[in-house]
């Protein structure tokens, strides 16, 4: 949900500013009361607090409030010490006023916090109503009048009450709710009126279980907490035996029934009735108590007596209060929901206010505050709240009787009532039960009467009567307010007892029905079911997000580890690489955004339309729904009306009327169906007009396909089986009252039964029994699609017969027609007599290709698949020799080699690296000498390391990935003898001695260091794998993270950084084995634990170890924000490219249609002596380039690895990918030159003067040529956009497809990179990037499910094809094979590629896709295979000189120093880093030079960048995505 504006904090700031302006306002005697309490709590010991009576305003609040006054007194003595003098009665200095007023505002912060918690704890649907209720409490005129003018501390007390009610919403917060309320009672005992509701609620839901059994542990915790709170507050006074005195102060029953000003309750009406009877008593003959005539309104001390009516005792008021509370408490016990609890609290407040003894008018807040939380539940509650809001606030007016404050209280209260009652009226939903409109009419009449009453009591009475009859305005105000409060009480009682909250759901606990779909491997995360037989006092662990419960801590930790993996994705946004909790939060936020952005009026009709729809794909469903609703409008929608003069006005659609279609008697349409809409315009205000549909439109971006897609993804779901209907999620369907019962014909059971019936129908029984000559093929697992097998032709049926005889066929019944077809075949058998057939069944249909590849029969004498080449020395097939036996590459390292090379090239812009070829990469990793002079090795490691940890000046060198803490066991293993007593002989940096070190102590220190070095050199750890811990300890003052933050890579120091990183990563048990293996080679146990050891040991490692290191570094880099932000930007760019491509395709189609019409005109004007030739451009009018669907021409859907559309639609275009813009520009220029020459030739041929018809013909020809040029431009633009899409598709490597034996085929240049690498890289002259087609073996699941079958399936397969699947694999694949996903082979010859394409069978479901993909990419793959071969052949046996060859790019300005370059990898340098950073990653950052030489050098670099980098239409340099990251 979007943030509300203004927020609660913003409103609090505004209210605070207004309250500060009221500091000089009127102050009641309560101001002196609290000043006196400050003085006595500060000046007297605690024993005397409740005995002190120097002032008549004695301390009559519970001890917690007295402690608060003592705390405030500690601050007051710094403001004005005279405040704290007990005898200083009536002291009101300005410092005193400012201090005490400020403490009220400061204490009110607790109320702001509680209201914020209330809003955030509410459900998303109720967020807006809860926000309005919270603001009404925060800005309440009652709090303003009582606290900030009259002066009291009610704000923070009601903050505690609201916070207690909020905690009571959840089962886990019940204990805190009870303890908070106990603390509230210790602050002010007036809240005892609400205690019965708390007692019943906590007893029912916290102390008793669902079976009404007592929960000892929960009760003990609650009882202990209450004992601690009350004991700490009242314990000291009980110890001093002062409880009697304290209770006399807290409960002054000696005071009268009514306050000096009648509170608007039952007793005020009782008193008003007594005064009226006093006037008519002589006529009615009633007895009059003469002593009570003038005492009824005294109310300060002593009993209140009545002249005509019986007097009321405190015991009677207690009895009335208890009786009026009992019905609500009984309902609360029976239906313990949170709403029932808040209603019971409100009714307890009502009862105590209406029937209590000596009630103050300020106690109305006991009713208003909790009722505000329920007022917007529906309109019935709001109807009962309206008179209470008016009466409660009007009744407070007599508290402020001064003329200066009259405008403030009146204007503010009237504004609050108008604002919030109108807002509440718009927000309150329609109730499910019928409303009693009599209450609404009473409210309207009652509110209307308040205006003349306020005018009379505040102005007219004093003007007419002066000082006489002062009590009449008070009596009128009290009686009027009492009528409103009593009427509101009666209305709320009716609503409360006729509402039926959901019982059975744990009333207080908002259970987390886990409905958000966090995805794991593209599937919803399955939840662990609730454990059975959980005891009430059993300790359990739970995840709040899912509601899962665990009875053991170990299982809870295991589930938590699973949830913390960064392998989850958000279904709505599509963001991946998240932990479960991040994805859950993303789902929550995105769901709220979708909920807020999508029109409320369309939600229900769209979901009703979608419910049980059987459209297969969500994209098609979105298109279908969008077309149905884009020109249809619904009540309460915000729409825009267009008038005849072109002006537009916004409004709200009130009503919609549909007129049906009318038919004549003959069935023809007399009138089509149409609709009319009644719209209420916003400008002019509230004007209603009737509008036609053509004049209506929605506001821009209100209803788009993207928003509709997001809304449907959030709201509907379907099962995974084929044909499953879309269903609205249960909680949404329940809220909208949409039927969730799936029709019987759409259930899974019915669909399966129907399919089974269809299958059985094909096996109809016949009288005759014949041999089954075509045994069925085994059902391979995993279970794939079912395909129908048709009859074989006569030529193959004889072979099938012979095979069936050998396979010991079973007897079954087959159609007669198939038998006759076989018997008339080439074998010449005579017809077999068949018993009478009732009817001839239809022939079996032909197989519908493609089918499962391995169900296709083997083709005899077909050439095997072309042989693979292998990069490793340990080949899967032993009889094949490796191409290079000295490469040292193991098969397990080939996959990581390809993955790391692909990662470094795909994200080269993030790493700020030049692209490089795969051959150079392997050659660099195989180096054994001069390795630190190979820039390719150094730059790769340094660039990746820099992405893992920020620079020291960037966010204090923050680590960008999850780094485990050092394992404590490691420090234990590194004992004192290993670490403290065995320091490294060359610690870095050198330890600096303090300035006070003496010469003798320095000598002792050096001697100790020397002895430690000698011991270290002689010491060899037995059983130790490596000495990385000692190496890390020796440089603890300048560890690997510090070195990395300072970018200290000089002299190969990056090798030490890798040691430190791997050592810390080894604390993770999942990485420990591989890290220890690498560290044993970089920090061996038999060598010194120094930085130099790590640097010198790296060149001695083999290529397999080095690729392990790079694999770990690349995997860590994928967790960084830089990579994730880059992928996000590519995702957004792909969305924009798709939009542009669709637009260009539409324009091309329109141009083709225009060209076709021009061609028709041309044929009509064409001279007879010229031959008519078709226009070749028209052949592609309906070609596949125009299509925009997600299926190919033959109806086969895209592979699971197809590129998915992003969820963003409305973001601005970030730029186009133009990494090969220079090549494209040259190609366009050449084509433009050819076209210009062609046009010149045409003009030369037509130099003679043409006739009129020929002129028209020439014009048409010219227009045709222009149309062709336009079409070519569109096609070129589409081609550019397709390439941009390809290069932007970087989240993962796309597989070309799989063959029949589940081998995967990869061409790594297919996506996310230019075909030949960056065109401005230092080795761009090579002309290729990888140049091979790579093949990976099947994974374990595919191998076990399709190739290595069980014995029964092998036997069945053998019966069908006379061979098993492994035997077929060995035969059809030829000499070379890959058997699992850890084995890789490759093809590097275009001829072999053509043979592979010919080997693939188009009848197989996998190979038809692979063949299509290979054919589409064949030209590119072959081209770069040739480029690779030519480049390697040209460089074979040659030596590259120190100086660059002239064929290299002009941007190479730096040459390698040293001996002659004998290897290709030494020709690579990092031009990207030099351009963007001014230095290589492995080199230190040059100092900033502000002189002219520095400026000239900078200008030269900028000029070089402008010359070498592509530019966009504005002339700015571009990268693949059009903008350069600044990481």
């Amino acid at each position: 949900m979007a943030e509300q504006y203004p927020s609660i904090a913003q409103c609090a700031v505004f209210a605070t500013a207004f309250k500060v302006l009221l500091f000089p306002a009127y102050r009641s005697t309560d101001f002196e009361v609290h000043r006196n309490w400050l003085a006595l709590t500060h000046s007297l010991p605690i024993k005397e607090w409740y005995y002190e009576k120097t002032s008549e305003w004695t301390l009559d609040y519970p001890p917690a409030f007295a402690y608060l006054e003592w705390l405030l007194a500690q601050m007051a003595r710094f403001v004005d010490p005279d405040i704290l003098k007990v005898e200083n009665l009536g002291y009101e200095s300005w410092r005193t006023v400012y201090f005490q007023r400020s403490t009220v505002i400061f204490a009110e912060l607790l109320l702001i916090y509680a209201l914020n918690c209330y809003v955030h704890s509410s459900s998303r649907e109720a967020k807006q109503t809860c926000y309005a209720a919270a603001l009404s409490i925060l800005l309440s005129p009652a709090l303003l009048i009582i606290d900030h003018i009259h002066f009291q501390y009610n704000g923070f007390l009601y903050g505690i009450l609201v916070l207690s009610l909020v905690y009571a919403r959840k089962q886990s917060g019940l204990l805190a709710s009870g303890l908070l309320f106990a603390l509230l009672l210790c602050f002010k005992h007036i809240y005892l009126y609400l205690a019965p509701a708390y007692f019943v609620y906590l007893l029912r839901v916290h102390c008793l279980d669902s079976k009404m059994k007592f929960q000892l542990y929960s009760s003990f915790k609650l009882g202990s907490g209450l004992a601690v709170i009350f004991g700490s507050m009242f314990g000291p006074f009980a110890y001093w035996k002062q409880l009697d005195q304290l209770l006399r102060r807290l409960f002054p029953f000696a005071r009268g029934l009514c306050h000096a000003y009648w509170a608007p309750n039952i007793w005020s009406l009782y008193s008003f009735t007594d005064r009226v009877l006093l006037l008519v008593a002589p006529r009615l003959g009633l007895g009059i108590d003469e002593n009570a005539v003038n005492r009824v309104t005294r109310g300060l001390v002593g009993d209140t007596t009545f002249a005509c009516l019986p007097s009321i005792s405190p015991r009677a008021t207690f009895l009335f209060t208890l009786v009026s509370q009992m019905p609500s408490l009984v309902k609360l016990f029976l239906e313990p929901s949170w709403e029932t609890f808040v209603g019971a609290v409100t009714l307890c407040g009502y009862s105590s206010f209406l029937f209590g003894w000596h009630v103050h008018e300020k106690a109305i807040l006991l009713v208003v505050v909790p009722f505000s939380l329920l007022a917007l539940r529906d309109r019935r509650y709001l109807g009962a709240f309206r008179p209470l809001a008016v009466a409660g606030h009007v009744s407070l007016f007599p508290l402020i009787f001064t003329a200066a404050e009259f405008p403030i209280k009146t204007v503010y209260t009237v504004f609050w009532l108008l604002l919030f009652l109108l807002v509440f009226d718009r927000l309150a939903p329609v109730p499910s039960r019928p409303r009693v409109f009599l209450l609404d009419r009473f409210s309207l009449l009652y509110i209307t009467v308040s205006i003349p009453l306020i005018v009379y009591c505040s102005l007219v009475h004093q003007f007419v009567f002066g000082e006489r009859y002062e009590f009449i305005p008070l009596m009128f105000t009290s009686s009027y307010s009492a009528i409103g409060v009593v009427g509101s009480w009666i209305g709320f009682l009716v609503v409360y007892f006729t509402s039926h909250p959901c019982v059975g759901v744990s009333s207080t606990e908002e259970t987390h029905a886990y409905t958000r779909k966090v995805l794991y491997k593209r599937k919803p995360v399955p939840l662990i079911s609730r454990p059975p037989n959980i005891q009430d006092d059993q300790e359990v662990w739970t995840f709040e997000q899912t509601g899962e419960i665990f009875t053991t801590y170990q299982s809870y930790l295991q589930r938590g580890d699973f949830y913390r993996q960064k392998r989850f994705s958000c279904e709505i946004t599509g963001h991946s690489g998240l932990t479960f909790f991040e994805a859950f939060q993303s789902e929550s936020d995105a769901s709220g955004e979708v909920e807020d952005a999508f029109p409320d009026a369309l939600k229900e009709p769209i979901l009703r339309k979608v419910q049980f729809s059987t459209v297969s794909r969500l994209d098609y469903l979105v298109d279908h729904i969008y077309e149905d609703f884009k020109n249809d409008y619904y009540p309460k929608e915000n729409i825009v009306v267009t008038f005849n003069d072109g002006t537009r006005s916004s409004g709200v659609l009130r009503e919609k009327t549909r007129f049906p279609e009318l038919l004549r008697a003959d069935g023809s349409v007399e009138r089509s169906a149409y609709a009319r809409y009644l719209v209420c315009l916003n400008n002019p205000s509230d004007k209603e007009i009737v509008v036609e549909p053509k004049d209506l439109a929605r506001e821009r971006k209100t209803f788009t396909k993207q928003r509709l897609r997001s809304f449907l993804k959030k709201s509907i779901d379907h099962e995974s089986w084929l044909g499953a209907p879309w269903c609205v999620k249960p909680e949404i369907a329940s809220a909208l009252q949409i039927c969730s019962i799936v029709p019987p014909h759409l259930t899974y059971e019915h669909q399966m039964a129907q399919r089974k019936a269809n299958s059985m129908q094909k096996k109809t029984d016949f009288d005759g029994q014949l041999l089954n000559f075509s045994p069925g093929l085994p059902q391979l697992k995993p279970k794939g699609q079912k395909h129908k097998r048709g009859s074989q032709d006569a030529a193959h049926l004889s072979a099938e017969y012979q095979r069936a005889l050998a396979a010991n066929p079973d007897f079954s019944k087959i159609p007669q027609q198939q038998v006759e077809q076989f018997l008339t075949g080439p074998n010449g058998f005579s017809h077999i007599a068949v018993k009478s057939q009732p009817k001839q069944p239809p022939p079996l249909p032909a197989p519908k290709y493609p089918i499962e590849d391995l169900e296709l029969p083997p083709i005899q004498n077909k050439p095997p698949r072309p042989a693979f080449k292998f990069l490793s020395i340990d080949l899967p097939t032993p009889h094949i020799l490796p191409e290079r036996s000295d490469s040292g590459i193991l098969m397990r390292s080939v996959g990581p080699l390809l993955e790391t090379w692909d990662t470094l090239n795909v994200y080269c812009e993030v790493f700020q690296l030049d692209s490089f070829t795969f051959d150079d990469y392997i050659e660099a990793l195989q180096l054994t000498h001069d390795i630190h002079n190979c820039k390719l090795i150094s730059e790769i490691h340094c660039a990746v390391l820099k992405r893992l940890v920020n620079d020291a000046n960037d966010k204090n060198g923050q680590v960008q990935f999850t780094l485990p803490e050092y394992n404590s066991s490691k420090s234990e293993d590194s004992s004192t003898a290993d670490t403290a007593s065995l320091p490294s002989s060359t610690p870095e940096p050198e330890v600096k001695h303090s300035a006070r070190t003496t010469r003798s102590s320095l000598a002792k220190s050096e001697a100790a260091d020397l002895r430690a070095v000698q011991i270290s050199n002689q010491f060899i750890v037995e059983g130790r794998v490596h000495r990385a811990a000692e190496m890390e300890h020796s440089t603890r003052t300048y560890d690997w993270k510090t070195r990395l933050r300072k970018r200290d890579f000089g002299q190969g120091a990056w090798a030490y950084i890798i040691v430190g990183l791997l050592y810390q990563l080894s604390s993770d048990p999942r990485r420990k084995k591989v890290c220890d293996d690498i560290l044993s080679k970089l920090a061996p146990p038999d060598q010194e634990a120094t930085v130099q050891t790590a640097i010198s040991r790296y060149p001695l490692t083999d290529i397999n170890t080095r690729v392990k290191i790079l694999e770990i570094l690349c995997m860590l880099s994928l967790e960084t924000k830089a990579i994730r932000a880059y992928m996000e930007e590519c995702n957004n760019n792909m969305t924009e490219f798709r939009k542009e491509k669709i637009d260009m395709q539409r324009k091309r189609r329109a141009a083709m249609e225009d060209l076709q019409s021009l061609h028709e005109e041309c044929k009509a004007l064409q001279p007879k002596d010229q031959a008519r030739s078709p226009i070749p451009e028209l052949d592609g009018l309906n070609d596949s380039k125009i299509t925009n669907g997600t299926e190919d021409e033959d109806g086969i859907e895209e592979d699971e690895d197809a590129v998915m559309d992003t969820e963003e639609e409305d973001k601005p275009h970030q730029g186009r990918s133009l990494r090969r813009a220079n090549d494209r520009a040259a190609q366009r220029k050449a084509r433009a030159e050819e076209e210009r020459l062609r046009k010149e030739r045409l003009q030369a041929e037509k130099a003679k003067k043409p006739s009129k018809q020929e002129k028209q013909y020439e014009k048409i020809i010219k227009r045709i040529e222009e149309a062709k040029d336009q079409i070519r431009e569109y096609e070129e633009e589409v081609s550019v956009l397709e390439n941009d899409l390809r290069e932007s598709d970087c989240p993962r490597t796309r597989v070309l497809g799989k063959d029949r034996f589940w081998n995967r085929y990869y061409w790594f240049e297919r996506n996310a990179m230019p075909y030949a690498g960056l065109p401005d890289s230092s080795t761009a002259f090579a002309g290729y990037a990888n140049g091979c087609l790579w093949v990976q073996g099947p994974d374990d699941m595919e191998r076990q499910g399709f190739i290595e079958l069980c014995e029964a399936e092998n036997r069945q397969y053998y019966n069908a094809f006379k061979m098993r699947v492994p035997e077929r694999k060995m035969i059809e694949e030829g000499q070379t094979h890959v058997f699992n996903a850890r084995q890789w082979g490759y093809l590097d010859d275009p001829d072999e590629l053509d043979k592979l394409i010919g080997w693939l069978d188009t009848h197989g479901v996998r190979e038809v896709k692979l063949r299509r993909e290979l054919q589409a990419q064949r030209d590119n793959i072959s081209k770069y295979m040739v480029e690779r071969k030519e480049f390697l052949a040209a460089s074979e046996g040659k030596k590259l000189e120190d100086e660059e060859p002239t064929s290299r790019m002009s941007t190479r300005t730096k040459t390698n120093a040293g001996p002659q370059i004998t290897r290709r990898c030494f020709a690579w340098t990092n031009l990207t880093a030099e351009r963007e950073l001014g230095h290589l990653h492995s080199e230190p950052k040059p100092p900033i030079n502000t002189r002219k030489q520095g400026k000239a050098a900078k200008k030269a670099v900028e000029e070089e960048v402008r010359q070498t980098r592509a530019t966009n239409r504005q002339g700015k340099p571009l990268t693949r995505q059009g903008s350069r990251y600044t990481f």
Side-chain angles (χ1 to χ4, degrees), residues 707-726:
R707 284 191 176 177
L708 177 60
R709 179 188 177 92
S710 300
F711 172 70
L712 291 180
K713 287 179 71 174
K714 183 192 83 69
S715 306
I716 63 176
D717 194 6
H718 70 157
E719 298 179 1
S720 58
W721 52 276
L722 185 64
W726 293 96

Side-chain angles (χ1 to χ4, degrees), residues 13-61:
V13 171
F14 166 77
T16 301
F18 180 68
K19 293 166 185 175
V20 170
L21 297 177
L22 298 178
F23 277 7
Y26 161 79
R27 299 176 295 279
S28 71
T29 54
D30 282 342
F31 185 86
E32 169 60 20
V33 169
H34 287 279
R35 188 215 62 79
N36 183 54
W37 292 356
L38 286 173
L40 70 89
T41 54
H42 180 268
S43 305
L44 301 176
I46 300 178
K47 290 183 179 181
E48 301 179 14
W49 285 359
Y50 287 95
Y51 286 95
E52 203 284 329
K53 52 183 179 180
T54 302
S55 171
E56 62 176 319
W57 314 115
T58 56
L59 180 61
D60 56 2
Y61 273 24

